[in-house]
Coordinates of all heavy atoms in Angstrom, one line a residue:
M13 N 0.8 -1.2 0.0 CA 0.0 0.0 0.0 C 0.9 1.2 0.0 O 1.7 1.4 0.9 CB -0.9 0.0 1.2 CG -1.8 1.1 1.4 SD -2.8 0.9 2.9 CE -4.1 2.0 2.5
S14 N 0.7 2.1 -1.0 CA 1.6 3.3 -1.1 C 0.8 4.5 -0.5 O -0.4 4.5 -0.5 CB 2.0 3.6 -2.5 OG 0.9 3.9 -3.3
Y15 N 1.5 5.5 -0.1 CA 0.9 6.7 0.5 C 1.1 7.8 -0.5 O 2.2 8.1 -0.9 CB 1.6 7.0 1.8 CG 1.0 8.2 2.5 CD1 -0.2 8.1 3.1 CD2 1.7 9.4 2.6 CE1 -0.8 9.2 3.7 CE2 1.1 10.5 3.2 CZ -0.1 10.4 3.7 OH -0.7 11.5 4.3
S16 N 0.0 8.4 -0.9 CA 0.0 9.4 -2.0 C -0.4 10.8 -1.6 O -0.4 11.6 -2.5 CB -0.8 8.9 -3.2 OG -2.2 8.8 -2.8
A17 N -0.7 11.0 -0.4 CA -1.1 12.4 0.0 C 0.1 13.3 -0.1 O 1.2 12.9 0.2 CB -1.7 12.4 1.4
R18 N -0.1 14.5 -0.5 CA 1.0 15.4 -0.7 C 1.4 16.1 0.6 O 0.6 16.2 1.5 CB 0.7 16.5 -1.8 CG -0.5 17.3 -1.4 CD -0.8 18.4 -2.4 NE -1.9 19.2 -2.1 CZ -2.0 20.1 -1.1 NH1 -0.9 20.3 -0.4 NH2 -3.1 20.7 -0.9
A19 N 2.6 16.5 0.7 CA 3.1 17.2 1.9 C 2.5 18.6 2.0 O 2.0 19.1 1.0 CB 4.6 17.4 1.8
L20 N 2.5 19.2 3.2 CA 1.9 20.5 3.3 C 2.8 21.5 2.6 O 4.0 21.4 2.6 CB 1.9 20.9 4.8 CG 0.9 20.3 5.7 CD1 1.2 20.8 7.2 CD2 -0.5 20.7 5.3
T21 N 2.1 22.5 2.0 CA 2.9 23.6 1.4 C 3.2 24.6 2.5 O 2.7 24.6 3.6 CB 2.0 24.3 0.3 OG1 0.9 25.0 1.0 CG2 1.5 23.4 -0.8
F22 N 4.1 25.5 2.2 CA 4.6 26.5 3.1 C 3.4 27.4 3.6 O 3.1 27.6 4.7 CB 5.6 27.4 2.5 CG 6.4 28.2 3.5 CD1 7.3 27.6 4.3 CD2 6.3 29.6 3.5 CE1 8.1 28.4 5.2 CE2 7.0 30.3 4.4 CZ 7.9 29.7 5.2
A23 N 2.5 27.8 2.6 CA 1.4 28.6 2.9 C 0.4 27.8 3.8 O -0.2 28.4 4.7 CB 0.7 29.0 1.6
E24 N 0.2 26.5 3.5 CA -0.7 25.7 4.3 C -0.2 25.6 5.8 O -1.0 25.7 6.7 CB -0.9 24.3 3.8 CG -1.7 24.3 2.5 CD -1.7 22.9 1.8 OE1 -0.7 22.2 1.9 OE2 -2.7 22.6 1.2
A25 N 1.1 25.5 5.9 CA 1.7 25.4 7.3 C 1.3 26.7 8.1 O 1.1 26.6 9.3 CB 3.2 25.2 7.2
F26 N 1.3 27.8 7.5 CA 1.0 29.1 8.2 C -0.4 29.3 8.5 O -0.8 30.1 9.3 CB 1.6 30.3 7.5 CG 3.1 30.4 7.7 CD1 4.0 30.1 6.7 CD2 3.6 30.8 9.0 CE1 5.3 30.2 6.9 CE2 4.9 30.9 9.2 CZ 5.8 30.6 8.2
D27 N -1.3 28.5 8.0 CA -2.7 28.6 8.2 C -3.2 27.5 9.2 O -4.4 27.4 9.4 CB -3.5 28.4 6.9 CG -3.4 29.6 6.0 OD1 -3.2 30.7 6.6 OD2 -3.6 29.5 4.8
L28 N -2.3 26.8 9.8 CA -2.7 25.7 10.8 C -3.2 26.3 12.1 O -2.8 27.4 12.5 CB -1.5 24.9 11.1 CG -0.9 24.0 10.0 CD1 0.4 23.3 10.4 CD2 -1.9 23.0 9.5
P29 N -4.2 25.6 12.7 CA -4.7 26.0 14.0 C -3.7 25.8 15.1 O -2.6 25.4 14.9 CB -5.9 25.1 14.2 CG -5.6 23.9 13.4 CD -4.8 24.4 12.2
M30 N -4.1 26.0 16.4 CA -3.2 25.9 17.5 C -2.6 24.5 17.7 O -1.5 24.3 18.1 CB -3.9 26.3 18.8 CG -4.3 27.8 18.9 SD -2.8 28.8 19.0 CE -2.3 28.5 20.6
S31 N -3.4 23.5 17.3 CA -2.9 22.1 17.3 C -3.5 21.4 16.1 O -4.5 21.8 15.6 CB -3.2 21.4 18.6 OG -4.6 21.2 18.7
V32 N -2.8 20.3 15.7 CA -3.3 19.6 14.5 C -3.4 18.1 14.8 O -2.9 17.7 15.8 CB -2.3 19.8 13.3 CG1 -2.3 21.2 12.9 CG2 -0.9 19.2 13.6
D33 N -4.2 17.4 14.0 CA -4.3 16.0 14.2 C -3.1 15.3 13.7 O -2.2 15.9 13.0 CB -5.6 15.5 13.6 CG -5.6 15.7 12.0 OD1 -4.6 16.1 11.4 OD2 -6.7 15.4 11.5
L34 N -2.9 14.0 13.9 CA -1.7 13.3 13.6 C -1.6 13.2 12.1 O -0.5 13.3 11.5 CB -1.7 11.9 14.2 CG -0.4 11.1 14.0 CD1 0.7 11.9 14.6 CD2 -0.5 9.7 14.6
R35 N -2.7 13.1 11.3 CA -2.6 13.0 9.9 C -2.0 14.2 9.3 O -1.2 14.2 8.4 CB -4.0 12.7 9.3 CG -4.0 12.4 7.9 CD -5.4 11.9 7.4 NE -5.8 10.6 8.0 CZ -5.4 9.5 7.5 NH1 -4.7 9.4 6.4 NH2 -5.8 8.3 8.0
T36 N -2.4 15.4 9.8 CA -1.8 16.7 9.3 C -0.4 16.8 9.7 O 0.5 17.2 8.8 CB -2.6 17.9 9.9 OG1 -4.0 17.7 9.5 CG2 -2.1 19.2 9.4
A37 N 0.0 16.4 10.9 CA 1.4 16.4 11.3 C 2.2 15.5 10.4 O 3.4 15.8 10.0 CB 1.6 16.1 12.7
A38 N 1.7 14.4 10.1 CA 2.4 13.4 9.2 C 2.6 14.0 7.9 O 3.7 13.9 7.3 CB 1.6 12.1 9.1
R39 N 1.6 14.7 7.3 CA 1.8 15.4 6.0 C 2.9 16.5 6.1 O 3.7 16.6 5.2 CB 0.5 16.1 5.6 CG -0.5 15.2 4.9 CD -1.7 16.0 4.4 NE -1.3 17.1 3.5 CZ -2.0 18.2 3.3 NH1 -3.1 18.4 3.9 NH2 -1.6 19.0 2.4
A40 N 2.9 17.2 7.2 CA 4.0 18.2 7.4 C 5.4 17.6 7.3 O 6.3 18.2 6.8 CB 3.8 18.9 8.7
F41 N 5.5 16.4 7.8 CA 6.8 15.7 7.8 C 7.0 14.8 6.6 O 8.0 14.2 6.4 CB 7.0 14.9 9.1 CG 7.2 15.7 10.3 CD1 6.3 15.6 11.4 CD2 8.3 16.5 10.4 CE1 6.5 16.4 12.5 CE2 8.5 17.3 11.6 CZ 7.6 17.2 12.6
A42 N 6.0 14.8 5.7 CA 6.0 14.1 4.5 C 6.1 12.6 4.7 O 6.9 11.9 4.1 CB 7.0 14.6 3.5
V43 N 5.4 12.1 5.8 CA 5.4 10.6 6.1 C 4.0 10.2 6.1 O 3.1 11.0 6.3 CB 6.1 10.3 7.4 CG1 7.6 10.7 7.4 CG2 5.4 10.9 8.6
C44 N 3.8 8.9 5.9 CA 2.4 8.4 6.0 C 1.9 8.3 7.5 O 2.8 8.3 8.4 CB 2.3 7.0 5.3 SG 3.1 5.7 6.2
P45 N 0.7 8.4 7.7 CA 0.1 8.3 9.1 C 0.6 7.1 9.8 O 0.9 7.1 11.0 CB -1.4 8.3 8.9 CG -1.6 9.0 7.6 CD -0.4 8.6 6.7
A46 N 0.7 5.9 9.1 CA 1.2 4.7 9.8 C 2.6 4.9 10.4 O 2.9 4.5 11.5 CB 1.2 3.5 8.8
T47 N 3.5 5.6 9.6 CA 4.8 5.9 10.1 C 4.8 6.8 11.3 O 5.5 6.6 12.3 CB 5.7 6.5 9.0 OG1 5.8 5.5 7.9 CG2 7.1 6.8 9.5
A48 N 3.9 7.8 11.3 CA 3.7 8.7 12.4 C 3.3 8.0 13.6 O 3.8 8.2 14.7 CB 2.8 9.8 12.0
Y49 N 2.3 7.1 13.5 CA 1.9 6.3 14.6 C 3.0 5.5 15.2 O 3.2 5.4 16.4 CB 0.7 5.4 14.3 CG -0.6 6.1 14.2 CD1 -1.3 6.4 13.0 CD2 -1.3 6.5 15.4 CE1 -2.5 7.0 13.0 CE2 -2.5 7.2 15.3 CZ -3.1 7.4 14.1 OH -4.3 8.1 14.1
R50 N 3.8 4.9 14.3 CA 4.9 4.0 14.7 C 5.9 4.9 15.5 O 6.4 4.4 16.5 CB 5.5 3.4 13.5 CG 6.3 2.1 13.8 CD 6.8 1.4 12.5 NE 5.7 1.2 11.5 CZ 5.8 1.7 10.3 NH1 6.8 2.3 9.8 NH2 4.8 1.5 9.4
L51 N 6.2 6.1 15.0 CA 7.2 6.9 15.7 C 6.7 7.3 17.1 O 7.4 7.4 18.0 CB 7.4 8.2 14.9 CG 8.2 8.0 13.6 CD1 8.2 9.2 12.7 CD2 9.7 7.6 13.9
I52 N 5.4 7.6 17.2 CA 4.8 7.9 18.5 C 4.9 6.7 19.5 O 5.4 6.9 20.6 CB 3.3 8.3 18.4 CG1 3.2 9.7 17.7 CG2 2.6 8.3 19.7 CD1 1.8 10.1 17.4
H53 N 4.6 5.5 19.0 CA 4.7 4.3 19.9 C 6.1 4.0 20.3 O 6.4 3.5 21.3 CB 4.0 3.1 19.2 CG 2.5 3.3 19.1 ND1 1.7 3.3 20.2 CD2 1.7 3.5 18.1 CE1 0.5 3.5 19.9 NE2 0.4 3.6 18.6
L54 N 7.1 4.4 19.4 CA 8.5 4.2 19.7 C 9.1 5.4 20.6 O 10.2 5.3 21.0 CB 9.3 4.1 18.4 CG 9.1 2.8 17.6 CD1 9.8 3.0 16.2 CD2 9.6 1.6 18.4
G55 N 8.3 6.4 20.8 CA 8.7 7.6 21.5 C 9.7 8.4 20.7 O 10.5 9.2 21.3
C56 N 9.6 8.3 19.4 CA 10.5 9.0 18.5 C 9.9 10.1 17.7 O 10.6 10.6 16.8 CB 11.2 8.0 17.6 SG 12.2 6.8 18.5
F57 N 8.7 10.5 17.9 CA 8.0 11.5 17.1 C 8.8 12.8 17.4 O 9.1 13.1 18.5 CB 6.5 11.7 17.4 CG 5.8 12.4 16.3 CD1 5.4 11.7 15.2 CD2 5.4 13.7 16.5 CE1 4.7 12.3 14.2 CE2 4.7 14.3 15.5 CZ 4.4 13.6 14.3
P58 N 9.1 13.6 16.4 CA 10.0 14.7 16.5 C 9.5 16.0 17.3 O 10.3 16.9 17.5 CB 10.4 15.1 15.1 CG 9.3 14.6 14.3 CD 8.8 13.4 15.0
C59 N 8.3 15.9 17.7 CA 7.7 17.0 18.5 C 6.7 16.5 19.5 O 6.3 15.3 19.4 CB 7.2 18.1 17.6 SG 5.9 17.6 16.5
P60 N 6.3 17.3 20.5 CA 5.4 16.8 21.5 C 4.0 16.3 20.9 O 3.5 16.9 19.9 CB 5.1 18.0 22.4 CG 6.2 19.0 22.1 CD 6.7 18.7 20.7
V61 N 3.5 15.3 21.5 CA 2.2 14.7 21.1 C 1.4 14.5 22.3 O 1.8 14.0 23.3 CB 2.5 13.3 20.4 CG1 1.1 12.7 20.0 CG2 3.4 13.5 19.2
F62 N 0.1 14.9 22.2 CA -0.8 14.7 23.3 C -1.9 13.8 22.9 O -2.4 13.9 21.7 CB -1.4 16.1 23.7 CG -0.4 17.0 24.2 CD1 0.2 18.0 23.4 CD2 0.0 17.0 25.5 CE1 1.1 18.9 23.9 CE2 1.0 17.8 26.0 CZ 1.6 18.8 25.2
R63 N -2.3 12.9 23.7 CA -3.4 12.0 23.4 C -4.6 12.5 24.2 O -4.6 12.6 25.4 CB -3.1 10.6 23.8 CG -4.2 9.6 23.4 CD -3.7 8.2 23.4 NE -4.7 7.4 22.8 CZ -4.5 6.2 22.4 NH1 -3.3 5.7 22.5 NH2 -5.5 5.6 21.8
L64 N -5.7 12.8 23.4 CA -6.9 13.3 24.0 C -8.0 12.2 23.6 O -8.5 12.2 22.5 CB -7.3 14.6 23.4 CG -6.3 15.8 23.6 CD1 -6.7 17.0 22.9 CD2 -6.2 16.1 25.1
G65 N -8.3 11.4 24.6 CA -9.2 10.3 24.3 C -8.5 9.3 23.3 O -7.5 8.8 23.6
R66 N -9.1 9.1 22.2 CA -8.6 8.2 21.2 C -7.8 9.0 20.1 O -7.4 8.4 19.1 CB -9.7 7.4 20.6 CG -10.4 6.6 21.6 CD -11.6 5.8 21.0 NE -11.0 4.7 20.2 CZ -11.8 4.0 19.4 NH1 -13.1 4.2 19.3 NH2 -11.2 3.0 18.7
Q67 N -7.7 10.3 20.2 CA -7.1 11.1 19.2 C -5.8 11.7 19.7 O -5.6 12.0 20.8 CB -8.0 12.2 18.8 CG -7.6 13.1 17.7 CD -8.5 14.2 17.4 OE1 -9.1 14.8 18.3 NE2 -8.7 14.4 16.1
Y68 N -4.8 11.8 18.8 CA -3.5 12.4 19.0 C -3.6 13.9 18.5 O -4.1 14.1 17.4 CB -2.4 11.7 18.3 CG -2.0 10.4 18.9 CD1 -2.4 9.2 18.3 CD2 -1.3 10.3 20.1 CE1 -2.0 8.0 18.9 CE2 -1.0 9.1 20.7 CZ -1.3 7.9 20.0 OH -1.0 6.7 20.6
R69 N -3.1 14.8 19.3 CA -3.0 16.2 18.8 C -1.5 16.7 19.0 O -0.8 16.3 19.9 CB -3.9 17.1 19.7 CG -5.4 16.8 19.7 CD -6.0 17.0 18.3 NE -6.0 18.4 17.9 CZ -6.4 18.8 16.7 NH1 -7.0 17.9 15.8 NH2 -6.4 20.0 16.4
I70 N -1.1 17.5 18.0 CA 0.2 18.0 18.0 C 0.2 19.5 18.0 O -0.4 20.1 17.1 CB 1.0 17.5 16.7 CG1 1.2 15.9 16.8 CG2 2.4 18.1 16.6 CD1 0.1 15.1 16.4
P71 N 0.8 20.1 19.0 CA 0.8 21.6 19.0 C 1.5 22.2 17.8 O 2.6 21.7 17.5 CB 1.5 22.0 20.3 CG 1.5 20.7 21.1 CD 1.4 19.6 20.2
T72 N 0.9 23.2 17.2 CA 1.5 23.7 16.0 C 2.8 24.4 16.2 O 3.7 24.3 15.3 CB 0.5 24.7 15.3 OG1 -0.7 23.9 15.1 CG2 1.0 25.2 14.0
V73 N 3.0 25.2 17.2 CA 4.3 25.9 17.4 C 5.5 25.0 17.5 O 6.5 25.2 16.7 CB 4.2 26.9 18.6 CG1 5.6 27.5 18.9 CG2 3.2 28.0 18.4
P74 N 5.5 23.9 18.3 CA 6.6 23.0 18.3 C 6.8 22.3 16.9 O 7.9 22.1 16.5 CB 6.3 22.0 19.4 CG 5.3 22.7 20.3 CD 4.6 23.6 19.4
L75 N 5.7 22.0 16.3 CA 5.7 21.4 14.9 C 6.4 22.3 14.0 O 7.3 21.8 13.2 CB 4.3 21.1 14.5 CG 4.1 20.6 13.0 CD1 4.7 19.2 12.9 CD2 2.7 20.6 12.6
M76 N 6.1 23.5 13.9 CA 6.7 24.5 13.0 C 8.2 24.7 13.4 O 9.0 24.8 12.5 CB 6.0 25.9 13.1 CG 4.5 25.8 12.7 SD 4.3 25.7 11.0 CE 4.3 27.4 10.6
R77 N 8.5 24.7 14.7 CA 9.9 24.9 15.1 C 10.7 23.7 14.6 O 11.8 23.9 14.1 CB 9.9 25.0 16.6 CG 11.2 25.5 17.1 CD 11.2 25.8 18.6 NE 10.3 27.0 18.8 CZ 9.3 27.1 19.7 NH1 9.1 26.1 20.6 NH2 8.6 28.2 19.8
V78 N 10.2 22.5 14.7 CA 11.0 21.3 14.2 C 11.1 21.3 12.7 O 12.2 20.9 12.2 CB 10.2 20.0 14.6 CG1 10.8 18.8 13.9 CG2 10.3 19.8 16.1
L79 N 10.2 21.9 12.0 CA 10.3 22.1 10.6 C 11.2 23.2 10.2 O 11.4 23.4 9.0 CB 8.9 22.3 10.0 CG 7.9 21.1 10.0 CD1 6.5 21.5 9.6 CD2 8.4 20.0 9.2
G80 N 11.7 24.0 11.2 CA 12.5 25.1 10.9 C 11.8 26.4 10.5 O 12.4 27.3 9.9
I81 N 10.6 26.4 10.9 CA 9.7 27.6 10.6 C 9.3 28.2 11.9 O 8.5 27.7 12.6 CB 8.5 27.2 9.8 CG1 8.8 26.4 8.5 CG2 7.6 28.4 9.4 CD1 7.6 25.8 7.9
E82 N 10.0 29.3 12.2 CA 9.7 29.9 13.5 C 9.0 31.3 13.5 O 8.5 31.8 14.4 CB 11.0 30.0 14.3 CG 11.6 28.7 14.7 CD 12.6 28.7 15.7 OE1 12.5 29.5 16.6 OE2 13.5 27.9 15.6
N83 N 9.1 31.9 12.3 CA 8.4 33.2 12.2 C 7.5 33.2 11.0 O 7.6 32.5 10.1 CB 9.5 34.3 11.9 CG 10.4 34.4 13.1 OD1 10.0 34.5 14.2 ND2 11.7 34.4 12.9
L84 N 6.5 34.1 11.1 CA 5.6 34.3 9.9 C 6.4 34.8 8.7 O 7.3 35.7 8.9 CB 4.4 35.2 10.3 CG 3.5 34.6 11.3 CD1 2.4 35.6 11.6 CD2 2.8 33.3 10.7
P85 N 6.0 34.4 7.5 CA 6.7 35.0 6.4 C 6.3 36.4 6.1 O 5.3 36.9 6.5 CB 6.2 34.1 5.2 CG 4.9 33.6 5.7 CD 5.0 33.5 7.2
V86 N 7.2 37.2 5.5 CA 7.0 38.5 5.1 C 6.7 38.5 3.6 O 7.5 38.0 2.9 CB 8.2 39.4 5.5 CG1 7.9 40.9 5.0 CG2 8.4 39.4 7.0
H87 N 5.6 39.0 3.2 CA 5.2 39.0 1.8 C 5.5 40.4 1.3 O 5.3 41.4 1.9 CB 3.7 38.7 1.7 CG 3.3 37.4 2.2 ND1 3.6 36.2 1.4 CD2 2.8 37.0 3.3 CE1 3.2 35.2 2.1 NE2 2.7 35.6 3.3
V88 N 6.1 40.4 0.1 CA 6.5 41.6 -0.6 C 5.3 42.6 -0.7 O 5.4 43.8 -0.5 CB 7.1 41.3 -2.0 CG1 7.4 42.6 -2.8 CG2 8.4 40.5 -1.8
E89 N 4.2 42.0 -1.1 CA 3.0 42.9 -1.2 C 2.6 43.6 0.0 O 2.2 44.8 0.0 CB 1.7 42.0 -1.7 CG 1.9 41.3 -3.0 CD 2.7 40.0 -2.8 OE1 2.8 39.4 -1.7 OE2 3.2 39.5 -3.8
D90 N 2.8 43.0 1.2 CA 2.5 43.6 2.5 C 3.5 44.7 2.7 O 3.1 45.8 3.2 CB 2.5 42.6 3.6 CG 1.4 41.6 3.5 OD1 0.4 41.9 2.8 OD2 1.6 40.5 4.0
V91 N 4.7 44.5 2.5 CA 5.8 45.5 2.7 C 5.5 46.7 1.8 O 5.6 47.9 2.2 CB 7.2 44.9 2.4 CG1 8.2 46.0 2.5 CG2 7.5 43.9 3.4
E92 N 5.2 46.5 0.5 CA 4.9 47.5 -0.4 C 3.7 48.4 0.0 O 3.7 49.6 -0.1 CB 4.8 47.0 -1.8 CG 6.1 46.5 -2.4 CD 5.9 45.8 -3.8 OE1 4.7 45.4 -4.1 OE2 6.9 45.5 -4.4
A93 N 2.7 47.7 0.4 CA 1.4 48.4 0.9 C 1.7 49.2 2.1 O 1.3 50.4 2.2 CB 0.3 47.4 1.2
G94 N 2.5 48.7 3.0 CA 2.9 49.5 4.2 C 3.7 50.7 3.9 O 3.6 51.8 4.4
A95 N 4.6 50.5 2.9 CA 5.5 51.6 2.4 C 4.6 52.7 1.8 O 4.9 53.9 2.0 CB 6.5 51.1 1.5
E96 N 3.6 52.3 1.0 CA 2.8 53.3 0.4 C 2.0 54.1 1.4 O 1.8 55.3 1.3 CB 1.8 52.6 -0.6 CG 2.5 52.1 -1.9 CD 1.5 51.3 -2.8 OE1 0.3 51.3 -2.5 OE2 2.1 50.6 -3.6
I97 N 1.4 53.4 2.4 CA 0.6 54.1 3.4 C 1.5 55.0 4.2 O 1.2 56.1 4.5 CB 0.0 53.0 4.3 CG1 -1.1 52.3 3.6 CG2 -0.6 53.7 5.6 CD1 -1.8 51.1 4.3
S98 N 2.7 54.5 4.5 CA 3.7 55.4 5.3 C 4.0 56.6 4.5 O 4.1 57.7 5.0 CB 4.9 54.6 5.6 OG 5.9 55.4 6.3
A99 N 4.2 56.5 3.2 CA 4.6 57.6 2.3 C 3.4 58.6 2.3 O 3.6 59.8 2.4 CB 4.9 57.2 0.9
L100 N 2.2 58.1 2.2 CA 1.0 59.0 2.2 C 0.9 59.8 3.6 O 0.6 61.0 3.6 CB -0.3 58.2 2.0 CG -0.4 57.7 0.6 CD1 -1.7 56.7 0.5 CD2 -0.6 58.8 -0.4
I101 N 1.1 59.1 4.7 CA 1.0 59.7 6.0 C 2.1 60.8 6.1 O 1.9 61.9 6.6 CB 1.2 58.6 7.1 CG1 -0.1 57.8 7.1 CG2 1.4 59.3 8.5 CD1 0.0 56.6 8.0
N102 N 3.3 60.4 5.7 CA 4.4 61.4 5.8 C 4.2 62.6 4.9 O 4.5 63.7 5.3 CB 5.8 60.7 5.4 CG 6.2 59.8 6.5 OD1 5.9 59.9 7.7 ND2 7.0 58.8 6.2
R103 N 3.7 62.4 3.7 CA 3.4 63.5 2.8 C 2.3 64.4 3.4 O 2.5 65.6 3.3 CB 2.9 62.9 1.4 CG 2.8 64.0 0.4 CD 2.0 63.6 -0.9 NE 0.6 63.4 -0.5 CZ -0.2 62.6 -1.1 NH1 0.2 62.0 -2.2 NH2 -1.5 62.5 -0.8
D104 N 1.3 63.8 3.9 CA 0.2 64.6 4.5 C 0.7 65.4 5.7 O 0.4 66.6 5.9 CB -1.0 63.7 5.0 CG -1.7 63.1 3.8 OD1 -1.6 63.6 2.7 OD2 -2.5 62.2 4.1
S105 N 1.6 64.8 6.5 CA 2.2 65.5 7.7 C 3.1 66.7 7.2 O 3.0 67.8 7.7 CB 3.0 64.6 8.5 OG 2.2 63.6 9.1
Y106 N 3.8 66.4 6.1 CA 4.7 67.5 5.6 C 3.9 68.6 5.0 O 4.2 69.8 5.2 CB 5.6 66.8 4.5 CG 6.5 67.8 3.8 CD1 7.7 68.3 4.5 CD2 6.2 68.3 2.6 CE1 8.5 69.2 3.9 CE2 7.0 69.3 1.9 CZ 8.2 69.7 2.6 OH 9.0 70.6 2.0
E107 N 2.8 68.3 4.3 CA 2.0 69.3 3.7 C 1.3 70.2 4.8 O 1.1 71.4 4.6 CB 0.9 68.7 2.8 CG 1.5 68.2 1.5 CD 0.5 67.4 0.6 OE1 -0.6 67.2 1.0 OE2 0.9 67.0 -0.5
Q108 N 0.9 69.5 5.9 CA 0.3 70.2 7.0 C 1.3 71.2 7.6 O 0.9 72.3 8.0 CB -0.3 69.3 8.0 CG -1.6 68.6 7.6 CD -2.1 67.6 8.6 OE1 -1.4 67.4 9.6 NE2 -3.3 67.1 8.4
E109 N 2.5 70.8 7.8 CA 3.5 71.6 8.4 C 3.9 72.8 7.5 O 4.1 73.9 7.9 CB 4.8 70.8 8.6 CG 4.7 69.8 9.8 CD 6.0 69.0 9.9 OE1 7.0 69.3 9.3 OE2 5.9 68.0 10.7
E110 N 3.9 72.6 6.2 CA 4.2 73.6 5.2 C 3.1 74.7 5.2 O 3.3 75.8 4.9 CB 4.4 73.0 3.8 CG 5.7 72.2 3.7 CD 6.9 73.1 3.7 OE1 6.9 74.2 3.1 OE2 7.8 72.7 4.5
S111 N 1.8 74.2 5.4 CA 0.7 75.2 5.3 C 0.6 76.0 6.5 O -0.2 77.0 6.6 CB -0.6 74.4 5.0 OG -0.9 73.6 6.1
Q112 N 1.3 75.7 7.6 CA 1.2 76.5 8.8 C 2.1 77.6 8.9 O 3.0 77.9 8.4 CB 1.4 75.6 10.0 CG 0.3 74.5 10.2 CD 0.6 73.6 11.4 OE1 1.7 73.6 12.0 NE2 -0.4 72.7 11.7

């Protein structure tokens, strides 16, 4: 039986909730769920795992840290939009000072 689910994309990783189920964590590590269960039972899963009833939950922050993702990405569009707003604010302030 082969495992064909794709790994999480970078953008999907940043949209994760506070904790994820084991299947999602397995996708993040690009392993099948059976391998993830095996790692948990061996005590070798690479980040903390909590069992809530019959379900495993993995906190997202440690998961991201193990994946080497510790900060939110900075998007060029956001920086450019912030720069435009800052320029408008500064221009308006300058024009108000000049008119006084």
